[in-house]
Amino acid sequence: MTDSKYFTTTKKGEIFELKAELNSDKKEKKKEAVKKVIASMTVGKDVSALFPDVVNCMQTDNLELKKLVYLYLMNYAKSQPDMAIMAVNTFVKDCEDPNPLIRALAVRTMGCIRVDKITEYLCEPLRKCLKDEDPYVRKTAAVCVAKLHDINAQLVEDQGFLDTLKDLISDSNPMVVANAVAALSEIAESHPNSNLLDLNPQTINKLLTALNECTEWGQIFILDCLANYMPRDDRESQSICERVTPRLSHANSAVVLSAVKVLMKFMEMLPKDLDYYGTLLKKLAPPLVTLLSAEPELQYVALRNINLIVQKRPEILKHEMKVFFVKYNDPIYVKLEKLDIMIRLASQANIAQVLAELKEYATEVDVDFVRKAVRAIGRCAIKVEQSAERCVSTLLDLIQTKVNYVVQEAIVVIKDIFRKYPNKYESVIATLCENLDSLDEPEARAAMIWIVGEYAERIDNADELLESFLEGFHDESTQVQLQLLTAIVKLFLKKPTETQELVQQVLSLATQDSDNPDLRDRGYIYWRLLSTDPVAAKEVVLAEKPLISEETDLIEPTLLEELICHIGTLASVYHKPPSAFVEGSRGVQHKKLTARAGSGESAESPDVGLSGPSEAPPAVIPSQGDLLGDLLNLDLAPPTATVPSVQPSMQMGAMDLLGGGLDSLMGDESDTLGGDIGGSPSMGGGLGVAPAAMPAALGGAPAVGGGLGDLFDLSGGVGMPTGSYVAPKTVWLPAMKAKGLEISGTFARRGGIIQMDLSLTNKAMSVMTDFAIQFNRNSFGLAPAGPLQVLTPLSPNQTIDVSLPLSTSGPVMKMEPLNNLQVAVKNNIDVFYFSCQYPISMIFVEDGKMERQVFLATWKDIPNDNEALFQIKDIHLNSDAASNKLQGSNIFTIAKRTVEGQDMLYLSVKLTNGIWVLAEMRIQTGNPNYTEMELSIKCRAPEVSPFVFQCYELVLKN
Amino acid sequence: MIGGLFIYNHKGEVLISRVYRDDIGRNAVDAFRVNVIHARQQVRSPVTNIARTSFFHVKRSNIWLAAVTKQNVNAAMVFEFLYKMCDVMAAYFGKISEENIKNNFVLIYELLDEILDFGYPQNSETGALKTFITQQGIKGQHQTKEEQSQITSQVTGQIGWRREGIKYRRNELFLDVLESVNLLMSPQGQVLSAHVSGRVVMKSYLSGMPECKFGMNDKIVIDKQGKGGTTDDPGKSELGGSGKQSIAIDDCTFHQCVRLSKFDSERSISFIPPDGEYELMRYRTTKDIILPFRVIPLVREVGRTKLEVKVVIKSNFKPSLLAQKIEVRIPTPLNTSGVQVICMKGKAKYKASENAIVWKIKRMAGMKESQISAEIELLPTNDKKKWARPPISMNFEVPFAPSGLKVRYLKVFESKLNYSDHDVIKWVRYIGRSGIYETRC
């Protein structure tokens, strides 16, 4: 009998035919029909229309047919919840069946039907099954609790299933224990602080006993759970380690890796002088090496983990270099990982072998692999000084092959070698220069230019070489441009007489003809330095550079510790914390290694290994990418989140700009070539002393005139955010109501200060003097921060503009509407009263950007009743532009993600009185006009929401 | 945990799709097809993250098995499970092919329901599964209560790999020591790396619940016994032979039937074996390996359009033993236009499609030597990149264990049934094969 025929039918009217067959009286025909339905379901056809007919087949003694119907049910019940109820009776009945296989089948399937109404009926049968006499049923029921928890966590808690589950940890059957542990671990993950697992020495002992007896998978569940336990002292750590080490000989690699995880974690708590500590270290190496003879996919997982282990404890595998030698037929992913580990293990003892291997790899086929191999040679040179010479000559051999990407990669690494060993290998420069023409990658070009600049005095035709690059200056990438600028300046400082023209050329290219602010900034700095104090310029530009570090690509220590706690899992494969790729609350907990209490080597306090989300995230942030979607699975990078807040004064702006430019200059340098400028303290000092004088001084140099303008343009444009939206003035007090005084005004927030901009117009016939202003009590305590400054008398038909700074420290009273402000203005004629409404964005403070973690917590914390939904129509903005605009008004984008063609922005706002207003904004990206946005606002004081919404609308529409 | 499991054919059509978790939607099926199966470049990683969903895949011939998840699962476990899944399917219906999968799709769904619950792997030992899931539909409807509870206790029990009540008229067991010897040698004949990865495969046809104890010439055990002065070793040279006294085992792993804690404390290997064939242990050695063959290459470039290759192989074992299925594979450049070969023994052929000269010798005794020489004509090319010169690889089979491992004893105790260790017929066989046996040239 072949079942493949079920896959072939695709004719029209199939559903109708199937319906007839399903309702057939013949059992065989029915079963055939259900099989066809399942086959259709598998290939993605929608057969949900057959729901009632299939469910009708459920009442059968034929177990195979029953299983097929169940399979169908699991797929479609959610789309047909009402119909699914029909199945409940059969489930309940099956849970009482004398055959344990059928009882288990029923409870297993019921848990997979995610319909609320069904879960109610599930409770009683589940309770019975958890206490069933047959272990097969109990182990199935244990998992079912996790299923139910996933559907309705509250129900599980209310029904007390968690306690029953905990009891199962003491079950006599090891598989029941293992499944209970798995279920509890999963549930505990979504309740980080619940102490659900409640691991104590007694339960640990039970787990360790079950470990010896359960299936390989059960062992994995138990070991993964054990890894979360925190032993009380070294003796307990040691005894657990002793009982876990036999697992290292298990044939299942996952068991081995999970055991390694437990050992790596608990080892941290053992005193280093303990004999056992050394024994344990020795025991770890062989199983790790054995993992490399597993199937390639597992080798990959193992290698990614070994990469972490080697960084944490290099001593474990230091003698095992050979096993990481690449085999010709290894899949590329295995090759690349092996290479990484080889470099980490390279030392003086094995460097000869390593180099011979690397040279071999550099002739392979795969471009990525070859590049990495070449780069590795460079890293060996830097890491092991004794080998540097050999590495350099190997690299020279490789350059002779003339294979384009090999040559370029070699030049990039040779540059690093020059950095590490200055003035040692210049003899190779001639060879490098021969390959100048073949370099087409920016990194290689930049490296070559750096070398020429650095050793300009020893290269006779350095000026010619650099000049040749200058021709296509504007087509080069920024990296190359910056490098070229620096190199020519270096050349000038070394050979001033012949190269004056060249340096002027490059400075004008960089400052006048370039749109790149980094390049322009650097150009100006050099120019200024050269024109004012060439000696200082020499000190700065030709300063001694700091040494480059030996190890590269090391994972940042806190992240490494967290990843060690996740050995064997996806996190250790991606080298990212789980929070970076897991949605929702799962994986938010940061695990960390805990060192032995009282040991001198680590300052960390021996607190609990599991830390709740409330705990502050690790201080050192690994990299942007790793933080990806820390919470709410938000994508990172709110478009312009890092732009500093608005600076009111021009002077400040200019300083900021320079400071920023310098920063990037320094950052850039130290990243690529290591601080031509950054390394020198005199530079920073020089700039820091008189920032205000800078623009003026620049203005003094005639050639820079145009550029100076640019500089100021910049400060108003690119350098600063667009600023908050200010509404045009409206008339608040008409002249007829105030004996000829007309007041119009608006509100603005500048540099963190709320200002009331007023225009006072005298429409009367006599002069007005003695102006004063007062506010009534209002919702946010706005009050004038100073007197109304109208210094000269206001003559008839004259208009005067005043800006009145406001504070928020005045008396508070809730107004209706909330943003209403009652004002009294007095002059020599009378006192006049009027009221006006300020946009609530005036009281959005500059530090209103919430931490992601806090955001999520707060969002959850605020009851759903407080959520208000709004729509903004006719907006022609994409999410980035919107986020930019909002930021100008202190509405901060915390994160952005894209879901099903919609951009979701997560925004926060803080009011002057400390109230936070959170928002989620949904923008259709599919629509080219972005006409509609949906905004849902959450705030503890919901009455604020409509006003906040108004601001959003106002800001976005203007 | 595993959120779903899909099986595709080479075209990316889905053959089996089982979803275990609510966070995995139908679109995951397509995401994998589009991003991995239909991807233009070669697979760069067995784990792929697409839109916050992680896909683990393995390939068997042209069938793709993919497990999906949105959580931080145990990655090693997922791959182990996928392999296990392949083993289970193979045990049920043989080769994993599109046709077999389509023919058995109902069975596969049943298996998937049983061995993976909510994404958590459950007992996946075929021995146990076959007691209640069969290709002829499900057993269990007409079983007695005792039979049912026997099934469930086996599936969940401590000895999940063996059922009770097995009976054989003749108690017999076969032990195969299968080693693959791996070598990477430099052109100058220096051993860059060499190791043996060995497996002890056992076929057991034993009645009841036999308790077995396996012994080999493990250096640690032998040394310990030597020190202890135990002279009457009961299993001494019962099955083993001559050769090296003992070998140093770098590491070994065991089938789950072996009591690991006992091995850890006493280094003794005791277990109740599954019925039929299974892999008892794997091990790795790196010291004192007998390299059965030595390959001496000589490649000379004569001008730009000609290569001269000479390869000598030497066998390095007792002259009385015979190596079989010897194959030497000499890679040729891509721009080869013609090849002339002369070999002293066996047959050699240039295979243009494989870019290699393949030299086959049926049999070769120990301490012998043979040679091949070839002239390779090359087409002139503009390709700047030099030929990568892949290593010369070798395949062979020899009737001994290159690691020097010897089985010392395998004792069987069954207290409830009336057969003793002496009544069991035991067979031991040693086969050494080439693993990756390469010499650079």
Side-chain angles (χ1 to χ4, degrees), chain B residues 262-437:
Chain B
K262 210 153 185 193
F263 178 73
D264 196 58
S265 55
E266 303 164 22
R267 220 170 158 92
S268 74
I269 302 165
S270 62
F271 53 94
I272 296 172
D275 193 38
E277 183 171 343
Y278 73 103
E279 188 180 291
L280 174 66
M281 73 178 278
R282 281 184 187 220
Y283 57 90
R284 179 169 46 85
T285 71
T286 46
K287 288 197 189 74
D288 305 323
I289 294 169
I290 307 158
L291 295 170
F293 284 94
R294 166 101 197 267
V295 178
I296 304 148
L298 196 75
V299 181
R300 206 162 64 94
E301 288 178 40
V302 187
R304 294 194 55 192
T305 56
K306 205 167 146 192
L307 275 179
E308 278 180 13
V309 180
K310 199 175 104 178
V311 176
V312 179
I313 59 168
K314 286 183 179 168
S315 58
N316 175 35
F317 43 89
K318 272 192 239 159
S320 57
L321 297 174
L322 273 183
Q324 295 185 69
K325 300 176 192 167
I326 301 148
E327 184 184 291
V328 182
R329 186 170 282 262
I330 305 158
T332 57
L334 296 173
N335 56 336
T336 301
S337 60
V339 175
Q340 268 125 39
V341 230
I342 311 160
C343 55
M344 286 159 45
K345 234 186 142 190
K347 281 180 193 161
K349 232 189 215 165
Y350 166 60
K351 295 199 172 167
S353 60
E354 297 166 34
N355 288 310
I357 299 166
V358 180
W359 175 26
K360 287 182 181 172
I361 304 169
K362 276 197 184 128
R363 251 172 243 105
M364 186 163 169
M367 304 318 255
K368 289 263 169 23
E369 187 176 314
S370 191
Q371 175 181 328
I372 184 173
S373 47
E375 269 186 26
I376 302 169
E377 304 281 340
L378 302 174
L379 292 170
T381 59
N382 314 332
D383 199 357
K384 256 195 193 166
K385 194 169 167 2
K386 259 178 56 185
W387 175 46
R389 283 206 185 183
I392 295 173
S393 59
M394 230 195 130
N395 289 314
F396 54 78
E397 200 179 291
V398 290
F400 59 90
S403 70
L405 181 130
K406 292 274 184 259
V407 176
R408 289 173 56 225
Y409 56 84
L410 199 149
K411 286 177 277 188
V412 181
F413 309 98
E414 166 59 68
S415 48
K416 286 184 195 151
L417 299 174
N418 54 349
Y419 70 92
S420 72
D421 186 39
H422 297 291
D423 305 329
V424 180
I425 305 159
K426 303 167 188 173
W427 306 86
V428 186
R429 178 166 67 162
Y430 298 90
I431 301 173
R433 291 198 182 100
S434 51
I436 294 164
Y437 204 84

Side-chain angles (χ1 to χ4, degrees), chain B residues 47-269:
Chain B
V47 185
T48 323
N49 192 321
I50 307 162
R52 301 189 151 268
T53 310
S54 299
F55 295 80
F56 299 77
H57 74 265
V58 298
K59 254 186 112 175
R60 286 291 179 269
S61 61
N62 52 15
I63 296 295
W64 298 75
L65 276 89
V68 251
T69 181
K70 283 207 163 184
Q71 297 170 27
N72 183 30
V73 297
N74 188 320
M77 185 190 79
V78 176
F79 280 123
E80 283 285 3
F81 177 78
L82 287 174
Y83 303 142
K84 191 65 162 199
M85 178 74 204
C86 294
D87 291 348
V88 170
M89 289 197 291
Y92 269 95
F93 51 76
K95 192 172 173 278
I96 295 173
S97 65
E98 179 171 355
E99 203 195 344
N100 279 344
I101 288 173
K102 280 185 170 175
N103 280 338
N104 293 285
F105 85 96
V106 173
L107 169 76
I108 295 173
Y109 275 125
E110 261 176 47
L111 288 170
L112 281 176
D113 198 45
E114 185 58 44
I115 60 179
L116 210 51
D117 191 5
F118 202 40
Y120 289 106
Q122 305 292 307
N123 192 332
S124 44
E125 287 300 311
T126 29
L129 290 171
K130 280 190 171 172
T131 57
F132 65 107
I133 297 177
T134 68
Q135 269 167 301
Q136 284 75 46
I138 297 147
K139 282 189 191 170
Q141 318 182 47
H142 311 294
Q143 286 161 332
T144 63
K145 207 164 174 200
E146 287 74 49
E147 281 170 329
Q148 286 164 2
S149 74
Q150 200 183 326
I151 290 170
T152 59
S153 78
Q154 191 199 336
V155 172
T156 60
Q158 288 184 28
I159 306 164
W161 53 85
R162 188 181 181 94
R163 64 187 168 86
E164 301 248 7
I166 297 170
K167 278 209 178 74
Y168 288 101
R169 256 192 31 220
R170 189 159 105 133
N171 289 299
E172 198 168 17
L173 67 85
F174 301 82
L175 273 180
D176 279 348
V177 175
L178 306 171
E179 297 197 337
S180 79
V181 49
N182 298 275
L183 169 74
L184 184 62
M185 197 176 249
S186 75
Q188 293 75 35
Q190 184 193 0
V191 177
L192 296 173
S193 75
H195 75 272
V196 167
S197 57
R199 304 186 298 145
V200 178
V201 174
M202 181 172 172
K203 267 183 237 158
S204 72
Y205 304 104
L206 302 170
S207 312
M209 282 294 194
E211 183 66 51
C212 298
K213 203 170 170 193
F214 174 70
M216 54 191 177
N217 57 341
D218 178 358
K219 194 167 188 301
I220 297 176
V221 179
I222 304 271
D223 287 359
K224 206 159 62 181
Q225 283 171 354
K227 242 187 268 166
T230 335
T231 42
D232 58 336
D233 178 10
K236 196 169 193 178
S237 68
E238 186 179 320
L239 297 163
S242 57
K244 267 190 296 178
Q245 279 306 302
S246 63
I247 61 159
I249 293 172
D250 287 25
D251 188 37
C252 44
T253 60
F254 296 99
H255 185 267
Q256 58 169 325
C257 65
V258 175
R259 295 184 188 90
L260 294 180
S261 35
K262 210 153 185 193
F263 178 73
D264 196 58
S265 55
E266 303 164 22
R267 220 170 158 92
S268 74
I269 302 165

Side-chain angles (χ1 to χ4, degrees), chain A residues 668-703:
Chain A
D668 206 316
E669 281 287 326
S670 48
D671 273 348
T672 55
L673 301 173
D676 280 350
I677 288 182
S680 133
S682 62
M683 184 69 199
L687 275 172
V689 171
M694 209 55 187
L698 277 172

